[in-house]
Amino acid sequence: MVPVRSIPVEPGSLTYPDLPWVIQHREDRCTLCGHCTTVCPKESIYLAYRRQRVPKLEILSKKRGNDYRTFVGIRQKPNPKHACIGCGMCAMVCPNEAIAPVPNTIENRTLFFDNIKGEAPKRGGRRNATGPTLLDRIMFDRISMLTDPALDAGRHEFTVTTTLGRILSPEDYLKRSSEGGWIPPTREIFPFVIGSMSFGALSPNMWLGLLQGVAYCNEVLGIPVVMCTGEGGCPPWVLKSPYLKYIILQIASGYFGWDEIIRAIPDMQCHPAAIEIKYGQGAKPGDGGLLMWYKVSKLIARLRGVPEGVDLPSPPVHQTLYSIEESVMKMIQTLSMAFDHKVPVYPKISASTSAKAVLNNLVRNPYAGGLLIDGIDGGTGAAYNVSMDATGHPVASNVRECYLDLAAQGKQNEIPIYAAGGIGKNGNVAQNGMALVMLGASAVHIGKYIMQATAGCLGNEQNRCNVCNVGICPKGITSQNPKLYRRLDPDKVAERVAESFMSIQTEVKKIMAPLGRSQSLPIGMSDAIGINDKDAADRLNIKYVC
Amino acid sequence: MCRLALKTAIEPFSPYEVLQAMEAMQEGYDGSGLGLLLRGMEFEDFKYNPRFPILSGIANTDKAWRRLDDFMEDLGYELKYDHRFRVDKSYVEDRDRFRYFVRAYRMPDRFADATTEEREQELLATRLALRKNGEENGRDLSVFSFWPDVAMIKEVGWPLQIGNLLGLHDGQIKSRVCMAQGRQNTNYGINLYACHPFFVQGISTMTNGENTAFVPIRDWLLGRDFPGYMGYQSDSEVFTHILHYAIKQLKLPLQAYKHIITPLSTKELDNHPQGDFLKGLKSVCRRLIIDGPNAVIGTLPDETCMLVMDQKKLRPATVGGREGAWAIASEMCGVDAMIPDRDPSFDFQPMREHTIIIPPERKELTIWSQYDQFPLSQAA
C-alpha cells in the first residue's frame, strides 16, 4: 500500500457508490445528445472524457503493446450537493434508453454529510416510511349478502357529499329557524378535498391547472370538489372571480397573502368555500410553514408582500395567541366576522395527543366550523428532515379518538372532523379516505396524492426527488422558475384532476354499495371495517379479522 | 323475510284477525316469532278507562311475578284490571312462562296534577326500571310497554300458534289498531326485546329488512341522553326512536319523519317550496338518514297509522281498505286477509317520496309526498 498523493481524500470525500442513487449509463447506446445533462435538476451528471487502454498485438512484428482510445461517457458527481435524487428525468429525456438512476441498496453515506456548513438537512415530500400504511390494511367487511340485496354502484343513485362547516343540534336549528337566528354557514362538498398547497409552494402553472380542474369537476361533472390555498394567499384575479367559491383560503402564522385577500373582500363576487386557520401541519408539527428563498420569485414576493429571494419561515404559532381559548375564540370569530358570518371557519392542527383538548374547545365555540387533523404521513413543500421524519402522530387513532369523544357527547354531527396525512400514499386514495370516514372523519384532505396523480410528481417514499423546497422540481410542479414550470401544461393538469376525481367518486360508490349505503356518507360506520391486527383493532375500537 | 300486518278500524276487532293475515302471508318466512301491538283497547270483562296505563310483558317465574307486583305497589300504582289470558299450554314447546300479563293501573295520586310530560316521563322510567329489574334477575321478567291504551305481546313461535296459546280468538281482548310482525331477529341471537314492533312513549314502529346505517344512527341516538333510547338488540329499533325524536323531542309533524330518514337530494330541495328549511333539517339530522332496505309501519298515540319506504324502495308494502277500516301489510294477500270487503283497485304501494297516513277518523288515507309543501308554520 502506498500513499496516493495525487488524489485528495478529505473527511467528506465520497464516491458514486456512496450516493443514494447511482447513475447507470450505457455508452453503447448513448448518442451524446446531451439531453440528460441539460435536464438534470441537480446537475449531478456531466459529460466526461475518459481514456481506455486497448491491448495491441502486432502479429507481423511479433510485438505486444498498448493502444489507447478516448471515449466519452456520462459520469456522476460524488459531491453530496450534486447527489443524484433519482428523479429519472435523464431516463425520461434519453432518446435511446442509455441512462437511468437506480437506488443504491447498499449504502447511503450522504446521510452523514448532508449538513455541510452546519445547515441541517431540509427537503420536501413525506417522511419516507415505505410499505402498506395502517389505512391500507383496513378492510370493508360488513357486506350486505343474503340478508339483503347489495346496491348497484353503477345504476343506483348515490349521495356522496359531506358537510363543510358547523352544524347545529336539531333542537337549536329549529329554534333559530323559527326565531330568524343565525344559522352557521355550511357547504355540501365532495369528501376528498385538495389539501393546502400554497401559491408559492406550487408553481403558477400547477395552481392554475388545479383550479381549472376543480372548476371543471364542479361545473361540468357535478362533483363539488374544493381546494385549499395553503398559506400564501391567492392571486387577486381568483379572489375576484366566481371560482372563489371552490377555494378554501388558508390563514397561517405568517399571514402571507392576507393583505391582498382583505383588500379584495369588497370586490368578491362570491364567498370562499371556507377559511382554514392553520395551527399545525402533520409533516412538521410545531413548526411553521417554510418557503425557501429559491422560490420567492417576483410574483410570489408581490403576492406575499415581502422582498424577493428571502427565506419565508412562518412562526411555529400565531404570535397574537397565548392560549387555546384565545386562539380558538378570537381568531375564529374574527375571521367569521370578516366574511359576515357566512363562511365556515375551521382550524387545522397536527395530529397530536393534545388534539382532544382542541376539539373540546371547538365544541364550545359556536363559530368553529370543524377540525382538520393532519397526521405524520402528510407531505410538505419544505421542512427539516428531523421534523418530517420523527415528529408527529399518525392520523387514524387520533381521528378515531376525537370522533368517539364527540359521540360520547352526542355532538358527532355538529363539529365535523376532517382528516389528512398520508391518504393515498400508496395509491389507494379512495380506500384510505373511506376507511377514515368510517373511523369518524367527515372528509379527507389530499395533497401529495394530487401532485402525484395530476401532475406526475416523482416523489416517493424512498426519498426519490423530494426537492420541492429548493424550487428545482423537474416536473415544474413546485418551482417558481419559468424554465421549469413551463414544462407543466395547466390544461393537462386540469384533465388529470377531472380524471382523478371521477375515479375516486366511482371507487367511493364501489365501497359504499356492498355495505348497503347510498343515501349518506357512512361517517362513523365502524361496524363496516376490520383489520388483521389485534392491537390496531383494539386501539381503533373496530373488529379484528383474520 | 319478515311479514308485517297492521289493521286499523273504527270498530274494535280481535287481534286474531291480524294473525290470520300473518298466516296468509306465511309463504317465504320462518315464523320465528311474533310481536303484537294493540292500541285503542277494549276488554270484554272490564270497562277500560283509556287514561289508565297498561303494563304488558311476561313474567317467567312466580318470583318475578311477585317482584313485579311489589315493585308497582311500592311506586303507588293501583291495579285496576289484570287480564287473564286463557293459556292453552298444548301450544307451548316446553317454555318456561309463568304469566303473560296485560294489567291496567291507576297512576299514583302524586301525578294527579302533573303535566302530561311528567306523566309520560314517569311511565317511561317505570317501564325501564322494570326491564332493568328483569335483566338483573336472569331475564325472568320482560316488559314491553307501559302506556295508556296500549298492550303488547311478544313471543317466539308461529304467529297463529301464539294466538292459540293465548286464546286471542276468544274475543276477550279487542283493539282499534293492531300491528303484528312475524319474525324474531334471526340474524342475531334470540331475544324477545329484539322483536318488532318497538315501543317508546306511545310511539311504535315495525320494519322489514335490514338497517345498514344502524351503528352511526344508534351512536347518535345514544348521545341524546334520553333514557328511552336504549336496547338496540335489533337494528330496526332506531326507526321507532327516530320517529319519537322527530315527534316528541323536536315536536315536528309526522311528515317530517320522511324528510329526516330519507331526505330529498340537494337538487330536489332547490326546487322545493321550503327547500332552505329542509336542507337545514337534512343537515342537522344527517346522522339519522337511513339506507334501507326497509318499509316502516307505525302508529302514534292518537291512533294515526303510517307507512314509509326507504329511498330505494327495496322492501314491499301495500295499503288498502275502505272507510272505517284500513290495512297495511308487507304482502298484498295480507291486506286481502284483513279487509276482504274493499275495492282492491284502490290499493296503493307508496313510492320513495310518499308517506301514507291513516288519520284517526279512518275515512280515507292521505298520500303525502315529500315534494309537497311541508306542513310547518315556522318553515313557511
Side-chain angles (χ1 to χ4, degrees):
Chain A
M1 186 72 72
V2 291
V4 186
R5 293 222 173 130
S6 58
I7 301 171
V9 178
E10 292 174 9
S13 297
L14 297 175
T15 181
Y16 71 93
D18 293 331
L19 303 178
W21 296 83
V22 178
I23 294 289
Q24 281 187 347
H25 177 250
R26 290 176 61 181
E27 193 211 338
D28 59 329
R29 282 178 164 270
C30 182
T31 57
L32 297 180
C33 68
H35 283 169
C36 55
T37 50
T38 315
V39 80
C40 178
K42 286 283 279 186
E43 294 170 22
S44 305
I45 46 178
Y46 62 100
L47 190 66
Y49 291 87
R50 292 285 186 272
R51 193 174 73 140
Q52 187 182 27
R53 184 176 72 85
V54 183
K56 194 167 91 180
L57 179 63
E58 289 174 26
I59 297 169
L60 292 177
S61 63
K62 292 186 179 175
K63 271 201 283 187
R64 272 187 279 181
N66 289 326
D67 218 352
Y68 293 90
R69 82 174 179 103
T70 335
F71 69 99
V72 285
I74 302 296
R75 289 295 176 271
Q76 191 171 0
K77 293 178 190 167
N79 178 350
K81 192 179 158 201
H82 292 290
C84 170
I85 51 171
C87 69
M89 289 305 286
C90 49
M92 203 174 287
V93 297
C94 179
N96 228 7
E97 291 149 27
I99 189 168
V102 289
N104 180 357
T105 51
I106 301 163
E107 187 150 39
N108 171 12
R109 295 200 75 76
T110 55
L111 285 176
F112 301 100
F113 294 104
D114 54 9
N115 52 5
I116 302 298
K117 293 189 180 158
E119 274 287 310
K122 304 175 207 67
R123 65 164 199 271
R126 288 202 180 99
R127 68 174 173 134
N128 293 335
T130 53
T133 62
L134 180 119
L135 295 175
D136 288 331
R137 288 155 60 204
I138 289 180
M139 291 165 251
F140 307 110
D141 59 0
R142 193 216 163 280
I143 316 297
S144 289
M145 289 307 296
L146 303 178
T147 51
D148 276 296
L151 297 169
D152 185 333
R155 296 180 186 85
H156 277 130
E157 267 177 27
F158 279 74
T159 302
V160 294
T161 52
T162 190
T163 310
L164 173 61
R166 174 72 165 227
I167 303 162
L168 295 172
S169 70
E171 289 84 355
D172 220 5
Y173 170 71
L174 292 174
K175 186 165 178 285
R176 290 199 202 181
S177 61
S178 67
E179 292 169 355
W182 175 65
I183 292 173
T186 55
R187 313 273 189 258
E188 278 298 304
I189 60 162
F190 192 65
F192 291 74
V193 175
I194 300 185
S196 39
M197 294 180 285
S198 71
F199 195 87
L202 296 184
S203 67
N205 281 16
M206 179 63 184
W207 221 83
L208 185 63
L210 289 182
L211 185 55
Q212 269 176 250
V214 165
Y216 189 86
C217 285
N218 277 277
E219 290 170 14
V220 181
L221 300 176
I223 308 173
V225 181
V226 291
M227 64 182 278
C228 181
T229 57
E231 178 182 22
C234 188
W237 69 267
V238 178
L239 290 170
K240 294 172 191 167
S241 78
Y243 305 113
L244 184 63
K245 57 180 173 285
Y246 310 134
I247 288 184
I248 299 173
L249 296 171
Q250 189 189 74
I251 183 164
S253 54
Y255 305 115
F256 294 122
W258 272 78
D259 214 24
E260 290 278 3
I261 294 173
I262 298 293
R263 270 182 233 271
I265 288 180
D267 299 322
M268 285 180 184
Q269 292 186 40
C270 57
H271 287 297
I275 307 297
E276 177 176 295
I277 306 175
K278 179 185 147 189
Y279 292 109
Q281 188 177 341
K284 45 178 170 180
D287 210 351
L290 175 60
L291 190 69
M292 291 178 73
W293 65 268
Y294 312 87
K295 295 170 79 169
V296 185
S297 65
K298 197 172 165 189
L299 175 68
I300 300 304
R302 209 185 69 195
L303 206 61
R304 295 195 175 203
V306 294
E308 251 181 275
V310 293
D311 270 348
L312 299 180
S314 304
V317 67
H318 294 255
Q319 292 301 298
T320 49
L321 309 171
Y322 297 99
S323 69
I324 182 170
E325 287 79 10
E326 204 178 340
S327 55
V328 170
M329 289 306 292
K330 204 158 101 185
M331 196 149 177
I332 293 179
Q333 196 173 340
T334 307
L335 281 160
S336 176
M337 200 151 63
F339 291 91
D340 257 357
H341 297 299
K342 285 177 183 158
V343 176
V345 180
Y346 68 88
K348 168 183 177 175
I349 58 165
S350 320
S352 147
T353 48
S354 60
K356 274 209 284 190
V358 177
L359 185 70
N360 282 311
N361 268 280
L362 296 184
V363 167
R364 291 188 285 275
N365 180 344
Y367 300 100
L371 176 65
L372 170 56
I373 300 175
D374 191 12
I376 190 171
D377 277 329
T380 178
Y384 283 87
N385 284 14
V386 70
S387 300
M388 216 187 299
D389 296 341
T391 319
H393 190 301
V395 70
S397 63
N398 217 217
V399 161
R400 184 70 177 146
E401 246 173 32
C402 287
Y403 176 79
L404 291 175
D405 200 48
L406 281 182
Q409 301 175 52
K411 295 197 182 287
Q412 66 267 49
N413 193 45
E414 294 171 33
I415 294 272
I417 298 170
Y418 309 114
I423 293 139
K425 186 174 169 180
N426 294 313
N428 310 321
V429 68
Q431 184 271 350
N432 286 185
M434 289 306 279
L436 276 166
V437 163
M438 288 180 216
L439 287 172
S442 285
V444 296
H445 285 226
I446 44 175
K448 181 77 172 169
Y449 175 86
I450 285 295
M451 295 208 300
Q452 290 170 319
T454 68
C457 163
L458 299 165
N460 74 0
E461 307 311 314
Q462 286 180 296
N463 206 24
R464 184 178 173 189
C465 205
N466 286 352
V467 286
C468 334
N469 55 330
V470 288
I472 54 171
C473 174
K475 285 296 196 87
I477 305 166
T478 61
S479 172
Q480 298 305 330
N481 179 349
K483 284 182 188 161
L484 291 174
Y485 68 67
R486 273 183 208 137
R487 289 177 187 172
L488 195 66
D489 181 346
D491 292 354
K492 293 268 173 10
V493 173
E495 208 174 300
R496 285 293 303 145
V497 170
E499 287 172 356
S500 301
F501 279 98
M502 281 164 75
S503 114
I504 292 174
Q505 193 185 38
T506 304
E507 289 195 344
V508 166
K509 289 183 193 172
K510 282 282 174 194
I511 291 168
M512 282 169 67
L515 308 179
R517 298 297 306 271
S518 64
Q519 285 300 290
S520 63
L521 200 67
I523 301 165
M525 190 185 175
S526 52
D527 57 322
I529 50 178
I531 190 165
N532 60 356
D533 176 332
K534 184 80 175 74
D535 293 336
D538 289 348
R539 183 77 179 84
L540 297 175
N541 207 355
I542 59 173
K543 282 186 299 298
Y544 165 63
V545 289
C546 60
Chain B
M1 202 153 76
C2 321
R3 296 289 183 263
L4 312 171
L6 175 147
K7 183 176 172 182
T8 171
I10 297 276
E11 268 310 299
F13 55 91
S14 161
Y16 206 72
E17 279 183 37
V18 177
L19 297 186
Q20 280 166 323
M22 298 296 285
E23 196 64 11
M25 300 191 285
Q26 68 165 289
E27 195 179 321
Y29 93 103
D30 62 5
S32 53
L34 172 73
L36 261 185
L37 177 131
L38 313 177
R39 195 194 288 278
M41 303 301 296
E42 192 179 274
F43 299 99
E44 201 184 55
D45 54 351
F46 174 65
K47 178 133 185 13
Y48 172 65
N49 173 351
R51 277 176 61 84
F52 293 157
I54 300 174
L55 183 69
S56 18
I58 304 172
N60 288 356
T61 60
D62 181 24
K63 222 169 117 194
W65 178 242
R66 272 186 281 125
R67 228 174 44 240
L68 164 75
D69 242 0
D70 295 345
F71 186 93
M72 294 304 281
E73 213 174 296
D74 288 351
L75 284 178
Y77 283 94
E78 181 194 336
L79 183 65
K80 297 300 288 184
Y81 173 66
D82 190 1
H83 182 76
R84 258 194 183 280
F85 289 103
R86 255 184 279 156
V87 177
D88 183 344
K89 293 247 177 187
S90 65
Y91 290 98
V92 192
E93 305 154 8
D94 65 358
R95 206 165 295 132
D96 185 18
R97 302 280 194 238
F98 177 75
R99 180 85 193 261
Y100 297 89
F101 58 84
V102 169
R103 325 177 89 190
Y105 288 92
R106 178 201 290 278
M107 283 196 81
D109 292 340
R110 62 181 184 277
F111 289 98
D113 298 322
T115 60
T116 316
E117 205 164 294
E118 282 165 347
R119 294 164 76 94
E120 291 183 348
Q121 255 172 20
E122 160 67 15
L123 293 177
L124 174 70
T126 307
R127 172 172 70 85
L128 295 179
L130 277 169
R131 174 173 172 159
K132 192 165 164 234
N133 183 309
E135 279 164 348
E136 282 168 358
N137 289 282
R139 289 165 66 178
D140 62 354
L141 178 66
S142 306
V143 181
F144 306 127
S145 63
F146 185 36
W147 201 256
D149 221 11
V150 170
M152 285 183 93
I153 297 164
K154 293 184 181 185
E155 186 50 291
V156 179
W158 278 95
L160 211 55
Q161 195 183 18
I162 296 165
N164 291 334
L165 161 77
L166 298 175
L168 294 180
H169 45 73
D170 62 4
Q172 291 282 316
I173 195 164
K174 284 184 177 173
S175 65
R176 287 185 297 272
V177 177
C178 173
M179 55 199 266
Q181 205 264 12
R183 192 175 134 183
Q184 246 290 340
N185 195 8
T186 46
N187 296 352
Y188 307 98
I190 297 282
N191 178 336
L192 281 184
Y193 284 122
C195 192
H196 308 223
F198 301 102
F199 180 87
V200 60
Q201 288 197 326
I203 286 167
S204 180
T205 70
M206 59 185 179
T207 319
N208 52 8
E210 190 177 15
N211 174 12
T212 49
F214 168 57
V215 166
I217 298 176
R218 177 200 64 192
D219 290 351
W220 193 84
L221 286 169
L222 284 172
R224 297 309 93 205
D225 267 344
F226 179 76
Y229 298 162
M230 51 83 75
Y232 302 120
Q233 275 84 6
S234 160
D235 58 17
S236 294
E237 196 159 5
V238 298
F239 296 119
T240 316
H241 295 174
I242 298 172
L243 184 60
H244 176 273
Y245 182 69
I247 290 179
K248 290 267 187 185
Q249 313 263 80
L250 299 183
K251 304 191 175 14
L252 289 169
L254 177 58
Q255 285 86 339
Y257 186 54
K258 186 71 177 150
H259 275 298
I260 289 172
I261 59 171
T262 65
L264 294 174
S265 70
T266 308
K267 216 166 136 191
E268 288 165 319
L269 288 176
D270 284 340
N271 299 318
H272 194 283
Q274 288 115 4
D276 283 342
F277 171 77
L278 291 174
K279 269 189 241 174
L281 185 69
K282 173 181 173 177
S283 163
V284 296
C285 294
R286 182 176 283 258
R287 304 298 163 119
L288 300 178
I289 296 176
I290 68 157
D291 244 312
N294 303 110
V296 183
I297 297 172
T299 68
L300 305 185
D302 67 354
E303 296 182 21
T304 299
C305 298
M306 53 82 75
L307 160 68
V308 292
M309 314 298 281
D310 70 80
Q311 210 265 354
K312 300 276 182 296
K313 201 176 165 338
L314 287 169
R315 278 286 180 268
T318 301
V319 57
R322 56 174 165 76
E323 191 181 330
W326 299 91
I328 303 172
S330 55
E331 322 299 305
M332 292 167 91
C333 58
V335 181
D336 277 342
M338 284 185 280
I339 309 183
D341 55 339
R342 76 192 194 289
D343 181 353
S345 63
F346 290 115
D347 285 0
F348 187 74
Q349 283 149 354
M351 299 307 287
R352 66 177 184 123
E353 71 273 20
H354 291 138
T355 302
I356 303 297
I357 301 168
I358 305 169
E361 312 84 69
R362 299 172 177 91
K363 281 194 188 316
E364 54 186 16
L365 55 83
T366 312
I367 301 170
W368 183 80
S369 160
Q370 270 179 291
Y371 299 108
D372 294 348
Q373 180 107 350
F374 183 72
L376 184 71
S377 56
Q378 65 185 171

